[in-house]
Amino acid sequence: MEPTNLASKVLSEIQVRPVERGEETRYQEQMARHHYLGGLPKIGETVWYVATWREEWVAQLSISAAALKCGVRDRWIGWDFRSQYGRLKLIANNSRFLILPDWHRPNIGSRVLSLTERRVVTDWQTRFGHPLLLLETFVDPRRFHGGVYRAANWIELGLTQGYRRTREGYSAEADAPKRVFVRTLCRNPQGQLTHPNRAHLQLTGAPKIMLNAEQMRMLPQCFTTIADPRRAHGIRHRLPVVLGIAAGATLCGMRGYKAISDWADALGQQARERFGCRREKGSYVVPSEFVIRDCLVRIEPDALDRALNAWNAAWGKKDDALALDGKTMKNAIDEAGHQTHIMSVVGHQSKICHAQKKVGTLPVKGSDEQKRTNEIGMAIPLLDTCDLAGVDITGDALLTQRALANYIVEQQAHYHFTAKGNQPGLQRDIALLFEKRGPADFVEMSSADHGRIETRRIWCSTALNAYLDFPHVGQVFLIERESIRKKTGDYSREIALGLTSRTPQEASPQRVLAVNRGHWSIESVHYIIDWNYDEDRSRIHTGFGPENISRLRRFAVGILKSFQKPNQSIAELMRKLSFRTRLVFDYLRMTNNSATVSLRN
């Protein structure tokens, strides 16, 4: 047989398959002996492949997790910092490709790559339960030109910046930029990877986040943006250290300055070091109760709110709807005998507090009218700190105001309001429209949660859009709620009227009902704050203390809700964190283990 025909026959007989468990030692030994980078352990989602010809090993490949950061790749895909997390698993990296010494022959490399591409999608779906849309690899131009990848129809995107991963994060100086190649495994991978619907990508649950060393210190870094109100002379504990400890203690259910201080005193030396505590005489010391109180009383609440929002923007779940409401700290009475009233914006899905502001101090008695006036005046300045584009904003009847509706629509968002007695004309017109109503547009029945069975019906209409004296009306609705107590058989029925700027084309009756029910997410946050932090009995009242403590509590609730198991109470989760301080650092994204913290931990 002629040499050309022989080579063609050899290429046609090469096969690629995953390495079997009994072959892994051989695979690692040969990779360590012949590859210039050495062997690579299995970390995360990894499949090892071997190419064979008549049982003889020809080449070895390792397909593993994609690089966390790659500028040219990320620009080619077109995704942002937030959306790449949780979707990075849809990309895999050809982290090792070794052609064994006796097989350096023409076309071997491109043939092996081609065979690997044909089966890796199926293997990935079978092993890890999600699709694979793109392969990537990095080629060192000092050693190789990437010809084998070009021959296999990979796309060259450009060069990396040349920074190397180290134990401390990334090298301070650029070393040698690598050529970046990608191979598409589907049509339009950019569109797939940036698709707004995670379910479309067969991704379930919350996105898992991969961290580098700098991002592990994200929370303390966020606190460095806050101006320290103390005099520079005599400061022994840095402000980010104090606030980091306060956030960790609040996550464990600590309710006041004394409790935060006691929690800090109980920290071991390793935990104190991780928080960045000051080292004195060979051991790490924590800030005292006085220092903790002094910082929380004096730092600007808006600065703390911005810092926590920066952390939430990096790690929190994005919400499709935001609830706006206020809460009074009933026992936080200042020298003038007034209570502190806090207004906040909470995500329907995540329960994250996106913004918070103090409405004012209200007289203990006869404060309802002043509270209503203050909340209406504070709503727009509060929302002004949030990214509202495309989001539904829900509020109770108090906030059903024309000025607020105009502002929300101007921000390219949508309002979802309730009509009650404070808008009598609006309430009367909607009630009259639905006085004689036919079958419901949508019916929802719930299971026996909290010992009751609920049925919700909704009717929607556009008949009043041009008639109502209210801006940007898309449709009005009536919701009927029926509830039956399982134990007693007691029956109750409620009617709610409302209106939204979303048209029927933008929001079906089912969606309108879901958004209306989602508003109660903010009430669930208030319930946790009252029940688990006993906020109504909190006597913190000096300076900015009430606002800052309340903001840390809302920050903690958002984290706790994201890690809460089904049928697990928040109190139980707090106790678990108190017993296992390591989990506190995991939840605050301050450890190497943060990348693998499960939402079902």
Side-chain angles (χ1 to χ4, degrees), residues 91-115:
I91 305 174
N93 190 298
N94 179 199
S95 50
R96 293 287 190 275
F97 185 18
L98 170 67
I99 298 176
L100 292 169
D102 294 337
W103 286 92
H104 287 277
R105 303 175 186 178
N107 303 321
I108 289 291
S110 57
R111 174 63 175 171
V112 171
L113 284 174
S114 176
L115 293 173

Short mmCIF file of all heavy atoms in Angstrom, two decimals, residues 91-115:
data_model
loop_
_atom_site.label_atom_id
_atom_site.label_comp_id
_atom_site.label_asym_id
_atom_site.label_seq_id
_atom_site.Cartn_x
_atom_site.Cartn_y
_atom_site.Cartn_z
N ILE A 91 -19.43 26.70 28.44
CA ILE A 91 -18.18 26.73 27.68
C ILE A 91 -17.19 25.78 28.36
O ILE A 91 -17.15 25.70 29.59
CB ILE A 91 -17.58 28.15 27.65
CG1 ILE A 91 -18.60 29.15 27.10
CG2 ILE A 91 -16.31 28.19 26.82
CD1 ILE A 91 -18.13 30.59 27.17
N ALA A 92 -16.40 25.08 27.57
CA ALA A 92 -15.35 24.21 28.13
C ALA A 92 -14.02 24.57 27.49
O ALA A 92 -13.96 25.11 26.38
CB ALA A 92 -15.67 22.74 27.91
N ASN A 93 -12.95 24.27 28.21
CA ASN A 93 -11.60 24.62 27.78
C ASN A 93 -10.81 23.37 27.43
O ASN A 93 -10.76 22.42 28.20
CB ASN A 93 -10.89 25.39 28.91
CG ASN A 93 -9.58 26.00 28.46
OD1 ASN A 93 -8.67 25.30 28.06
ND2 ASN A 93 -9.49 27.31 28.53
N ASN A 94 -10.23 23.39 26.23
CA ASN A 94 -9.29 22.32 25.87
C ASN A 94 -7.96 22.64 26.58
O ASN A 94 -7.05 23.22 26.02
CB ASN A 94 -9.11 22.28 24.35
CG ASN A 94 -8.13 21.22 23.89
OD1 ASN A 94 -7.63 21.29 22.80
ND2 ASN A 94 -7.83 20.23 24.73
N SER A 95 -7.90 22.26 27.86
CA SER A 95 -6.80 22.68 28.72
C SER A 95 -5.51 21.90 28.50
O SER A 95 -4.43 22.38 28.87
CB SER A 95 -7.23 22.56 30.19
OG SER A 95 -7.77 21.29 30.45
N ARG A 96 -5.59 20.71 27.92
CA ARG A 96 -4.41 19.94 27.57
C ARG A 96 -4.67 19.21 26.25
O ARG A 96 -5.73 18.62 26.06
CB ARG A 96 -4.06 18.90 28.66
CG ARG A 96 -3.59 19.48 29.98
CD ARG A 96 -2.20 20.06 29.88
NE ARG A 96 -1.69 20.40 31.18
CZ ARG A 96 -1.93 21.55 31.81
NH1 ARG A 96 -2.70 22.47 31.23
NH2 ARG A 96 -1.40 21.80 33.00
N PHE A 97 -3.69 19.26 25.36
CA PHE A 97 -3.76 18.48 24.12
C PHE A 97 -2.35 17.95 23.86
O PHE A 97 -1.42 18.70 23.62
CB PHE A 97 -4.24 19.35 22.96
CG PHE A 97 -4.44 18.60 21.67
CD1 PHE A 97 -4.56 17.22 21.65
CD2 PHE A 97 -4.52 19.28 20.47
CE1 PHE A 97 -4.74 16.52 20.47
CE2 PHE A 97 -4.70 18.60 19.27
CZ PHE A 97 -4.81 17.22 19.28
N LEU A 98 -2.21 16.64 23.96
CA LEU A 98 -0.91 16.00 23.83
C LEU A 98 -0.97 14.96 22.72
O LEU A 98 -1.76 14.01 22.79
CB LEU A 98 -0.51 15.34 25.14
CG LEU A 98 0.72 14.42 25.09
CD1 LEU A 98 1.98 15.22 24.80
CD2 LEU A 98 0.86 13.63 26.39
N ILE A 99 -0.15 15.11 21.69
CA ILE A 99 0.05 14.06 20.70
C ILE A 99 1.29 13.29 21.14
O ILE A 99 2.37 13.86 21.31
CB ILE A 99 0.24 14.65 19.29
CG1 ILE A 99 -1.02 15.43 18.88
CG2 ILE A 99 0.53 13.54 18.28
CD1 ILE A 99 -0.89 16.12 17.53
N LEU A 100 1.13 12.02 21.36
CA LEU A 100 2.21 11.20 21.91
C LEU A 100 3.40 11.14 20.94
O LEU A 100 3.24 11.26 19.72
CB LEU A 100 1.69 9.83 22.26
CG LEU A 100 0.68 9.85 23.44
CD1 LEU A 100 -0.03 8.52 23.59
CD2 LEU A 100 1.39 10.22 24.74
N PRO A 101 4.62 10.94 21.48
CA PRO A 101 5.87 11.09 20.68
C PRO A 101 5.90 10.31 19.38
O PRO A 101 6.42 10.80 18.38
CB PRO A 101 6.95 10.62 21.66
CG PRO A 101 6.40 10.91 23.01
CD PRO A 101 4.91 10.67 22.90
N ASP A 102 5.38 9.12 19.34
CA ASP A 102 5.47 8.30 18.12
C ASP A 102 4.43 8.67 17.06
O ASP A 102 4.38 8.04 16.00
CB ASP A 102 5.31 6.81 18.48
CG ASP A 102 6.47 6.31 19.34
OD1 ASP A 102 7.55 6.94 19.27
OD2 ASP A 102 6.29 5.32 20.08
N TRP A 103 3.59 9.68 17.36
CA TRP A 103 2.47 9.97 16.45
C TRP A 103 2.49 11.40 15.92
O TRP A 103 1.45 11.96 15.56
CB TRP A 103 1.16 9.68 17.16
CG TRP A 103 0.90 8.22 17.28
CD1 TRP A 103 1.24 7.41 18.32
CD2 TRP A 103 0.29 7.39 16.31
NE1 TRP A 103 0.89 6.11 18.07
CE2 TRP A 103 0.28 6.07 16.82
CE3 TRP A 103 -0.25 7.60 15.04
CZ2 TRP A 103 -0.25 4.99 16.13
CZ3 TRP A 103 -0.79 6.53 14.36
CH2 TRP A 103 -0.78 5.25 14.90
N HIS A 104 3.62 12.02 15.86
CA HIS A 104 3.72 13.36 15.28
C HIS A 104 3.73 13.25 13.76
O HIS A 104 4.79 13.27 13.11
CB HIS A 104 4.97 14.07 15.80
CG HIS A 104 4.85 14.50 17.23
ND1 HIS A 104 4.24 15.66 17.61
CD2 HIS A 104 5.25 13.89 18.39
CE1 HIS A 104 4.27 15.79 18.93
NE2 HIS A 104 4.88 14.71 19.43
N ARG A 105 2.56 13.09 13.17
CA ARG A 105 2.41 12.87 11.75
C ARG A 105 1.40 13.89 11.19
O ARG A 105 0.60 14.45 11.94
CB ARG A 105 1.92 11.45 11.46
CG ARG A 105 2.83 10.37 12.04
CD ARG A 105 2.25 8.99 11.85
NE ARG A 105 3.03 7.96 12.53
CZ ARG A 105 2.70 6.67 12.55
NH1 ARG A 105 1.61 6.25 11.89
NH2 ARG A 105 3.45 5.80 13.20
N PRO A 106 1.39 14.14 9.92
CA PRO A 106 0.46 15.12 9.34
C PRO A 106 -1.00 14.76 9.61
O PRO A 106 -1.39 13.59 9.53
CB PRO A 106 0.78 15.07 7.83
CG PRO A 106 2.17 14.55 7.75
CD PRO A 106 2.32 13.59 8.90
N ASN A 107 -1.77 15.80 9.92
CA ASN A 107 -3.24 15.72 10.05
C ASN A 107 -3.74 14.95 11.28
O ASN A 107 -4.96 14.82 11.47
CB ASN A 107 -3.88 15.11 8.80
CG ASN A 107 -3.54 15.88 7.55
OD1 ASN A 107 -3.49 17.11 7.57
ND2 ASN A 107 -3.27 15.17 6.46
N ILE A 108 -2.81 14.42 12.10
CA ILE A 108 -3.25 13.68 13.29
C ILE A 108 -3.99 14.62 14.25
O ILE A 108 -5.08 14.31 14.75
CB ILE A 108 -2.05 13.02 13.99
CG1 ILE A 108 -1.51 11.85 13.16
CG2 ILE A 108 -2.45 12.53 15.39
CD1 ILE A 108 -2.42 10.66 13.08
N GLY A 109 -3.39 15.77 14.50
CA GLY A 109 -3.98 16.69 15.48
C GLY A 109 -5.37 17.17 15.09
O GLY A 109 -6.31 17.15 15.90
N SER A 110 -5.55 17.62 13.84
CA SER A 110 -6.86 18.11 13.41
C SER A 110 -7.90 16.99 13.39
O SER A 110 -9.07 17.22 13.68
CB SER A 110 -6.75 18.76 12.03
OG SER A 110 -6.22 17.85 11.08
N ARG A 111 -7.46 15.75 13.05
CA ARG A 111 -8.38 14.62 13.05
C ARG A 111 -8.87 14.31 14.46
O ARG A 111 -10.06 14.09 14.69
CB ARG A 111 -7.68 13.39 12.45
CG ARG A 111 -8.48 12.10 12.50
CD ARG A 111 -9.75 12.19 11.69
NE ARG A 111 -10.43 10.90 11.66
CZ ARG A 111 -11.66 10.72 11.17
NH1 ARG A 111 -12.34 11.77 10.67
NH2 ARG A 111 -12.21 9.54 11.15
N VAL A 112 -7.96 14.33 15.43
CA VAL A 112 -8.34 14.04 16.82
C VAL A 112 -9.28 15.14 17.35
O VAL A 112 -10.28 14.85 18.02
CB VAL A 112 -7.08 13.92 17.70
CG1 VAL A 112 -7.47 13.84 19.17
CG2 VAL A 112 -6.27 12.69 17.30
N LEU A 113 -8.97 16.40 17.05
CA LEU A 113 -9.85 17.49 17.48
C LEU A 113 -11.24 17.35 16.89
O LEU A 113 -12.25 17.54 17.58
CB LEU A 113 -9.25 18.83 17.08
CG LEU A 113 -8.08 19.36 17.91
CD1 LEU A 113 -7.53 20.63 17.29
CD2 LEU A 113 -8.51 19.62 19.35
N SER A 114 -11.30 17.00 15.60
CA SER A 114 -12.59 16.85 14.93
C SER A 114 -13.43 15.74 15.57
O SER A 114 -14.63 15.90 15.81
CB SER A 114 -12.38 16.56 13.45
OG SER A 114 -13.60 16.33 12.80
N LEU A 115 -12.80 14.60 15.87
CA LEU A 115 -13.52 13.49 16.50
C LEU A 115 -13.98 13.85 17.91
O LEU A 115 -15.06 13.44 18.35
CB LEU A 115 -12.61 12.25 16.53
CG LEU A 115 -12.27 11.63 15.17
CD1 LEU A 115 -11.23 10.52 15.35
CD2 LEU A 115 -13.53 11.08 14.50
#
